[in-house]
Amino acid sequence: MMTDEQWQAIVNNDPAHDGRWFYAVKTTRIFCRPSCKSRPPLRINAVCFAAADEAIAAGFRPCKRCKPTGERLPDEEWIALVADYINRHFASELSLHHLAEACHGTPFHLHRTFKKVRGITPATYIQQTRIAEAQVLLSSTELSVAEIGARVGLANPSHFVALFKKIYGTTPNRFRAQNT
Ligand SMILES: [Zn+2]
């Protein structure tokens, strides 16, 4: 049986669930990690297992893409999962520690690998993602600057304004005046 939470994890490719359970697809006879980027199956065709061994015993083959039997993901794929996680959670508090926990790595390894693959640190990527979203909200909504900061995970208005200025060289108000 599958819970609604599990189904949401499959649909959202949520890496926070990886390693805790697996899902198999009756039509393809393949099983995957929750974060697998393959197209989600119809819910009616999906079945969950607590362990990879159980899925294999039930006659399912491991997915070549997400390698649910434990072969380590290449760095690029792992960092793609991390970036994806950031893209979906930038509005909440995202410490390196939290990120590492959610993506099944250590903070040190995550920081180093992210920088190697993307050329910037996870913290910088989070900041850029937040400010990019703030730009969208500034030019497309009437929300106050403070409200927009809060919506992109920067609840402290002066911190938000300072960071915006650091990245774009202009204040949120000036950016809005020029882009609406
Ligand atoms: Zn897969």
Side-chain angles (χ1 to χ4, degrees), residues 46-157:
V47 51
C48 284
F49 292 95
D53 290 353
E54 291 176 23
I56 291 169
F60 294 97
R61 285 175 291 116
C63 169
K64 289 254 191 297
R65 190 165 187 187
C66 64
K67 303 188 172 78
T69 45
E71 194 182 318
R72 207 170 66 85
L73 284 177
D75 286 345
E76 288 73 16
E77 279 183 43
W78 185 48
I79 293 308
L81 288 177
V82 173
D84 188 56
Y85 186 88
I86 292 171
N87 294 343
R88 286 183 291 114
H89 294 90
F90 65 83
S92 38
E93 209 173 301
L94 266 190
S95 68
L96 183 61
H97 184 84
H98 172 97
L99 200 56
E101 191 138 296
C103 301
H104 296 257
T106 64
F108 175 78
H109 181 63
L110 172 60
H111 180 89
R112 204 178 50 171
T113 311
F114 198 99
K115 188 145 188 226
K116 190 182 85 185
V117 172
R118 296 277 171 130
I120 55 175
T121 66
T124 301
Y125 181 80
I126 292 168
Q127 289 180 344
Q128 290 178 350
T129 305
R130 286 174 167 162
I131 297 303
E133 176 66 14
Q135 281 194 308
V136 172
L137 293 172
L138 283 166
S139 56
S140 66
T141 74
E142 311 257 284
L143 295 168
S144 72
V145 168
E147 171 72 6
I148 289 174
R151 286 217 188 178
V152 301
L154 297 164
N156 178 333

Side-chain angles (χ1 to χ4, degrees), residues 23 30-33 36-38 62-68:
Y23 73 95
I30 286 173
F31 73 99
C32 289
R33 300 169 189 273
C36 185
K37 297 283 189 193
S38 303
C63 169
K64 289 254 191 297
R65 190 165 187 187
C66 64
K67 303 188 172 78

Side-chain angles (χ1 to χ4, degrees), residues 138 145 157 160-162 164-165 170-178:
L138 283 166
V145 168
F160 169 51
V161 172
F164 193 96
K165 205 168 169 194
T170 186
T171 66
N173 277 326
R174 229 172 289 147
F175 174 85
R176 174 173 258 168
Q178 287 159 358

